[in-house]
Amino acid sequence: MADTAIKCDEKARGRSEPPGRPPRNRAVMKHSDVLGGLDYLAADYHRQDFSKHIHNEYLIGLIERGVHDVWCRGEVWHAGSGTVATFAPGEPHFGGAGDDLGWSQKIFYMPEGLVRQVLEHSGQNEPGTIDFKSPFQENAPVAHGLSAFWRLLEHGHSSALEIEEHLIRFLPHVFAQVGRSRVAEPKFVPPRFRDVCDFIHAHFDEVLQLAALAALAGCSKATLIDGFKAHFGLPPTRYLIQVRIDEARRLLRRGQQVADVAVAVGFADQSHLTRHFKAVLGVTPARYLSV
C-alpha cells in the first residue's frame, strides 16, 4: 500500500461486538435544493458492503468513527476517524467495514454543475473535472468545514442563503487543499464504446443483451467488456445498474413510489432495486429522502 494511504487504528482491530443482538445499520440520505441540488448521507454501519461502483458527482465526506476499508486506485485504503473522503466523478471504488465495530460517515454528493458554479466565484473554475490527491486524506480544517456544512443542512432554521454562503466560502478551500489537477478535455473514448454507453443511457429501462451491445460496437463480448471497463470504470452490466440507480434517485425526488420506480428504471421488482441501490449508496430507496 502506498505511503499516502490512511493508516487504520490498530487498537480497533480484533475487537468483537458485545454479546446479544448485533446492532443494525442506520443510514439516511436527504436532498437539498441549494444551487441546483445535492444529496447528503449520514450513516452508522456495522455490516455494509459496497459493490464496485462510480458516482457522477463529486463525493466529499468525513469518516467520523471506526475504520472504513475501500479499494480504489489499485490498493486498499484504511480510512479511520477524522479522515476526509474525496472522490472525483467516475472514480471506481468498493469497500466495507475495516473492523468488527464498523464505521460512521457523512457524505455529500455534489454535482459537477454545482461545483463549477461555486468555484467560479473564487476564480478556480477552469475547464474539466478536478481530480484529488488521494481518495482519503487527513485535513482537520476541511473535516471541520464538512461538519459545519452538515449542521447547516440539518438545522431546520438554516436559510438557503446561509447554506449557499457557506458553500461559496468553504468549497473553494476544499479543492485548493485536496485538489490535484484539472483535465481540460475529456479523455478520448473510441466511438464504438461511446456508442454503447449512449445506447445504455437511452435504453436503461429495457432488457439489454451483451451480444446486442457487442454487435453494436462491432467487436467480441470480451473486447467490449474489457474496453468499456477501461474507459468508463465498470463493465457494461454494472454500468447499466449504475444508470438505473441514478435514474431511480431522480424519480424518487419527484415523489414516485419505490415499487413504481423499480419497474420504471428496468429492475424486475422493488427488492431488486433495493439490493442494488443499497450496495451502491449504502441506503435503501425507502430511506432515501426520508426525514
Side-chain angles (χ1 to χ4, degrees):
M1 184 171 63
D3 292 338
T4 55
I6 302 299
K7 303 299 183 183
C8 63
D9 181 358
E10 294 297 336
K11 293 182 180 180
R13 288 190 173 276
R15 296 179 187 170
S16 59
E17 295 172 351
R21 185 174 181 177
R24 298 176 61 186
N25 289 342
R26 294 187 296 273
V28 61
M29 182 180 283
K30 300 182 182 180
H31 181 79
S32 170
D33 290 327
V34 65
L35 293 174
L38 64 96
D39 285 348
Y40 56 105
L41 169 80
D44 186 18
Y45 294 125
H46 292 271
R47 290 289 182 268
Q48 170 65 29
D49 292 320
F50 289 91
S51 60
K52 190 173 184 181
H53 63 282
I54 59 175
H55 296 286
N56 291 324
E57 312 102 325
Y58 289 97
L59 187 156
I60 302 173
L62 178 64
I63 307 300
E64 296 185 310
R65 177 194 65 81
V67 181
H68 183 24
D69 278 1
V70 178
W71 178 95
C72 184
R73 302 186 185 183
E75 60 184 303
V76 176
W77 301 75
H78 306 297
S81 177
T83 302
V84 174
T86 50
F87 288 81
E91 188 158 41
H93 57 285
F94 64 89
D99 59 39
D100 290 341
L101 298 179
W103 80 101
S104 298
Q105 63 182 23
K106 286 184 170 64
I107 304 292
F108 303 92
Y109 300 85
M110 301 185 181
E112 288 201 66
L114 180 151
V115 171
R116 290 196 186 100
Q117 193 178 165
V118 171
L119 294 187
E120 71 181 6
H121 295 283
S122 65
Q124 296 185 43
N125 192 26
E126 300 178 21
T129 298
I130 301 173
D131 198 0
F132 294 104
K133 298 172 184 176
S134 65
F136 294 100
Q137 307 178 42
E138 293 180 351
N139 190 303
V142 170
H144 177 76
L146 290 171
S147 295
F149 184 42
W150 181 269
R151 289 193 296 271
L152 274 176
L153 289 171
E154 284 293 277
H155 195 285
H157 300 294
S158 298
S159 67
L161 179 61
E162 289 178 283
I163 296 171
E164 184 174 342
E165 283 182 353
H166 182 84
L167 266 177
I168 290 175
R169 294 178 60 190
F170 170 64
L171 201 56
H173 174 71
V174 174
F175 282 94
Q177 288 286 310
V178 301
R180 180 175 62 185
S181 62
R182 291 170 175 81
V183 182
E185 297 180 359
K187 296 179 181 179
F188 173 74
V189 178
R192 61 181 178 179
F193 298 130
R194 173 61 64 185
D195 289 344
V196 171
C197 181
D198 292 343
F199 187 86
I200 290 174
H201 279 273
H203 301 274
F204 64 86
D205 56 342
E206 303 174 12
V207 177
L208 302 183
Q209 300 293 336
L210 191 60
L213 296 178
L216 176 63
C219 63
S220 69
K221 296 177 184 178
T223 298
L224 171 63
I225 293 170
D226 293 341
F228 194 94
K229 181 179 178 181
H231 292 287
F232 296 104
L234 299 172
T237 51
R238 292 223 58 84
Y239 189 87
L240 171 61
I241 290 172
Q242 189 83 44
V243 172
R244 287 175 171 174
I245 291 171
D246 289 341
E247 181 65 14
R249 288 166 67 189
R250 187 183 71 83
L251 295 179
L252 289 169
R253 288 197 295 268
R254 290 171 55 181
Q256 296 193 24
Q257 297 299 311
V258 176
D260 296 334
V261 168
V263 175
V265 301
F267 286 114
D269 52 35
Q270 181 174 333
S271 64
H272 196 200
L273 165 63
T274 296
R275 177 165 58 88
H276 289 294
F277 200 96
K278 188 172 184 290
V280 168
L281 295 171
V283 63
T284 65
R287 295 292 290 167
Y288 179 63
L289 307 182
S290 62
V291 178

PDB file of all heavy atoms in Angstrom, residues 199-211:
ATOM      1  N   PHE A 199     -26.125   4.167 -25.903  1.00  0.00           N
ATOM      2  CA  PHE A 199     -27.248   3.240 -26.058  1.00  0.00           C
ATOM      3  C   PHE A 199     -27.786   2.814 -24.681  1.00  0.00           C
ATOM      4  O   PHE A 199     -29.003   2.738 -24.477  1.00  0.00           O
ATOM      5  CB  PHE A 199     -26.804   2.010 -26.856  1.00  0.00           C
ATOM      6  CG  PHE A 199     -27.924   1.072 -27.203  1.00  0.00           C
ATOM      7  CD1 PHE A 199     -28.681   1.275 -28.353  1.00  0.00           C
ATOM      8  CD2 PHE A 199     -28.231  -0.007 -26.388  1.00  0.00           C
ATOM      9  CE1 PHE A 199     -29.725   0.418 -28.681  1.00  0.00           C
ATOM     10  CE2 PHE A 199     -29.273  -0.863 -26.700  1.00  0.00           C
ATOM     11  CZ  PHE A 199     -30.018  -0.652 -27.854  1.00  0.00           C
ATOM     12  N   ILE A 200     -26.879   2.551 -23.744  1.00  0.00           N
ATOM     13  CA  ILE A 200     -27.300   2.167 -22.392  1.00  0.00           C
ATOM     14  C   ILE A 200     -28.104   3.287 -21.744  1.00  0.00           C
ATOM     15  O   ILE A 200     -29.150   3.048 -21.127  1.00  0.00           O
ATOM     16  CB  ILE A 200     -26.077   1.799 -21.530  1.00  0.00           C
ATOM     17  CG1 ILE A 200     -25.469   0.468 -22.011  1.00  0.00           C
ATOM     18  CG2 ILE A 200     -26.459   1.695 -20.048  1.00  0.00           C
ATOM     19  CD1 ILE A 200     -24.174   0.095 -21.321  1.00  0.00           C
ATOM     20  N   HIS A 201     -27.645   4.509 -21.897  1.00  0.00           N
ATOM     21  CA  HIS A 201     -28.367   5.645 -21.319  1.00  0.00           C
ATOM     22  C   HIS A 201     -29.741   5.821 -21.955  1.00  0.00           C
ATOM     23  O   HIS A 201     -30.695   6.223 -21.273  1.00  0.00           O
ATOM     24  CB  HIS A 201     -27.543   6.920 -21.470  1.00  0.00           C
ATOM     25  CG  HIS A 201     -26.481   7.086 -20.433  1.00  0.00           C
ATOM     26  ND1 HIS A 201     -26.702   7.682 -19.221  1.00  0.00           N
ATOM     27  CD2 HIS A 201     -25.172   6.708 -20.442  1.00  0.00           C
ATOM     28  CE1 HIS A 201     -25.584   7.677 -18.512  1.00  0.00           C
ATOM     29  NE2 HIS A 201     -24.638   7.095 -19.222  1.00  0.00           N
ATOM     30  N   ALA A 202     -29.844   5.518 -23.236  1.00  0.00           N
ATOM     31  CA  ALA A 202     -31.109   5.699 -23.940  1.00  0.00           C
ATOM     32  C   ALA A 202     -32.084   4.551 -23.705  1.00  0.00           C
ATOM     33  O   ALA A 202     -33.303   4.724 -23.850  1.00  0.00           O
ATOM     34  CB  ALA A 202     -30.850   5.859 -25.435  1.00  0.00           C
ATOM     35  N   HIS A 203     -31.575   3.368 -23.327  1.00  0.00           N
ATOM     36  CA  HIS A 203     -32.422   2.175 -23.208  1.00  0.00           C
ATOM     37  C   HIS A 203     -32.246   1.477 -21.859  1.00  0.00           C
ATOM     38  O   HIS A 203     -32.425   0.257 -21.760  1.00  0.00           O
ATOM     39  CB  HIS A 203     -32.095   1.195 -24.342  1.00  0.00           C
ATOM     40  CG  HIS A 203     -32.295   1.774 -25.715  1.00  0.00           C
ATOM     41  ND1 HIS A 203     -33.503   1.762 -26.357  1.00  0.00           N
ATOM     42  CD2 HIS A 203     -31.416   2.397 -26.546  1.00  0.00           C
ATOM     43  CE1 HIS A 203     -33.383   2.336 -27.549  1.00  0.00           C
ATOM     44  NE2 HIS A 203     -32.129   2.738 -27.680  1.00  0.00           N
ATOM     45  N   PHE A 204     -31.915   2.232 -20.808  1.00  0.00           N
ATOM     46  CA  PHE A 204     -31.629   1.634 -19.499  1.00  0.00           C
ATOM     47  C   PHE A 204     -32.822   0.888 -18.919  1.00  0.00           C
ATOM     48  O   PHE A 204     -32.655  -0.008 -18.092  1.00  0.00           O
ATOM     49  CB  PHE A 204     -31.177   2.716 -18.509  1.00  0.00           C
ATOM     50  CG  PHE A 204     -32.250   3.740 -18.209  1.00  0.00           C
ATOM     51  CD1 PHE A 204     -33.191   3.518 -17.221  1.00  0.00           C
ATOM     52  CD2 PHE A 204     -32.296   4.921 -18.920  1.00  0.00           C
ATOM     53  CE1 PHE A 204     -34.174   4.455 -16.949  1.00  0.00           C
ATOM     54  CE2 PHE A 204     -33.279   5.869 -18.661  1.00  0.00           C
ATOM     55  CZ  PHE A 204     -34.228   5.631 -17.673  1.00  0.00           C
ATOM     56  N   ASP A 205     -34.039   1.242 -19.330  1.00  0.00           N
ATOM     57  CA  ASP A 205     -35.232   0.616 -18.767  1.00  0.00           C
ATOM     58  C   ASP A 205     -35.647  -0.645 -19.511  1.00  0.00           C
ATOM     59  O   ASP A 205     -36.678  -1.243 -19.204  1.00  0.00           O
ATOM     60  CB  ASP A 205     -36.394   1.606 -18.757  1.00  0.00           C
ATOM     61  CG  ASP A 205     -36.693   2.177 -20.136  1.00  0.00           C
ATOM     62  OD1 ASP A 205     -35.822   2.081 -21.025  1.00  0.00           O
ATOM     63  OD2 ASP A 205     -37.800   2.714 -20.310  1.00  0.00           O
ATOM     64  N   GLU A 206     -34.832  -1.074 -20.478  1.00  0.00           N
ATOM     65  CA  GLU A 206     -35.134  -2.261 -21.261  1.00  0.00           C
ATOM     66  C   GLU A 206     -34.226  -3.421 -20.848  1.00  0.00           C
ATOM     67  O   GLU A 206     -33.240  -3.238 -20.134  1.00  0.00           O
ATOM     68  CB  GLU A 206     -34.951  -1.962 -22.760  1.00  0.00           C
ATOM     69  CG  GLU A 206     -35.804  -0.801 -23.264  1.00  0.00           C
ATOM     70  CD  GLU A 206     -35.484  -0.439 -24.710  1.00  0.00           C
ATOM     71  OE1 GLU A 206     -34.768  -1.223 -25.378  1.00  0.00           O
ATOM     72  OE2 GLU A 206     -35.926   0.632 -25.154  1.00  0.00           O
ATOM     73  N   VAL A 207     -34.557  -4.616 -21.307  1.00  0.00           N
ATOM     74  CA  VAL A 207     -33.702  -5.786 -21.088  1.00  0.00           C
ATOM     75  C   VAL A 207     -32.612  -5.764 -22.151  1.00  0.00           C
ATOM     76  O   VAL A 207     -32.898  -5.921 -23.345  1.00  0.00           O
ATOM     77  CB  VAL A 207     -34.510  -7.099 -21.176  1.00  0.00           C
ATOM     78  CG1 VAL A 207     -33.570  -8.293 -21.024  1.00  0.00           C
ATOM     79  CG2 VAL A 207     -35.594  -7.125 -20.118  1.00  0.00           C
ATOM     80  N   LEU A 208     -31.386  -5.535 -21.750  1.00  0.00           N
ATOM     81  CA  LEU A 208     -30.276  -5.430 -22.692  1.00  0.00           C
ATOM     82  C   LEU A 208     -29.455  -6.712 -22.684  1.00  0.00           C
ATOM     83  O   LEU A 208     -29.220  -7.301 -21.629  1.00  0.00           O
ATOM     84  CB  LEU A 208     -29.387  -4.238 -22.341  1.00  0.00           C
ATOM     85  CG  LEU A 208     -30.072  -2.866 -22.296  1.00  0.00           C
ATOM     86  CD1 LEU A 208     -29.052  -1.768 -22.011  1.00  0.00           C
ATOM     87  CD2 LEU A 208     -30.802  -2.585 -23.602  1.00  0.00           C
ATOM     88  N   GLN A 209     -29.024  -7.126 -23.859  1.00  0.00           N
ATOM     89  CA  GLN A 209     -28.228  -8.331 -24.010  1.00  0.00           C
ATOM     90  C   GLN A 209     -26.796  -7.969 -24.376  1.00  0.00           C
ATOM     91  O   GLN A 209     -26.570  -7.087 -25.218  1.00  0.00           O
ATOM     92  CB  GLN A 209     -28.833  -9.225 -25.097  1.00  0.00           C
ATOM     93  CG  GLN A 209     -30.263  -9.667 -24.822  1.00  0.00           C
ATOM     94  CD  GLN A 209     -30.371 -10.610 -23.640  1.00  0.00           C
ATOM     95  OE1 GLN A 209     -29.405 -11.284 -23.289  1.00  0.00           O
ATOM     96  NE2 GLN A 209     -31.551 -10.664 -23.028  1.00  0.00           N
ATOM     97  N   LEU A 210     -25.842  -8.647 -23.757  1.00  0.00           N
ATOM     98  CA  LEU A 210     -24.434  -8.380 -24.035  1.00  0.00           C
ATOM     99  C   LEU A 210     -24.115  -8.604 -25.506  1.00  0.00           C
ATOM    100  O   LEU A 210     -23.323  -7.857 -26.102  1.00  0.00           O
ATOM    101  CB  LEU A 210     -23.552  -9.266 -23.150  1.00  0.00           C
ATOM    102  CG  LEU A 210     -22.059  -8.930 -23.130  1.00  0.00           C
ATOM    103  CD1 LEU A 210     -21.834  -7.515 -22.619  1.00  0.00           C
ATOM    104  CD2 LEU A 210     -21.319  -9.926 -22.238  1.00  0.00           C
ATOM    105  N   ALA A 211     -24.738  -9.620 -26.100  1.00  0.00           N
ATOM    106  CA  ALA A 211     -24.485  -9.907 -27.518  1.00  0.00           C
ATOM    107  C   ALA A 211     -24.897  -8.736 -28.400  1.00  0.00           C
ATOM    108  O   ALA A 211     -24.197  -8.379 -29.360  1.00  0.00           O
ATOM    109  CB  ALA A 211     -25.237 -11.173 -27.938  1.00  0.00           C
TER     110      ALA A 211
END
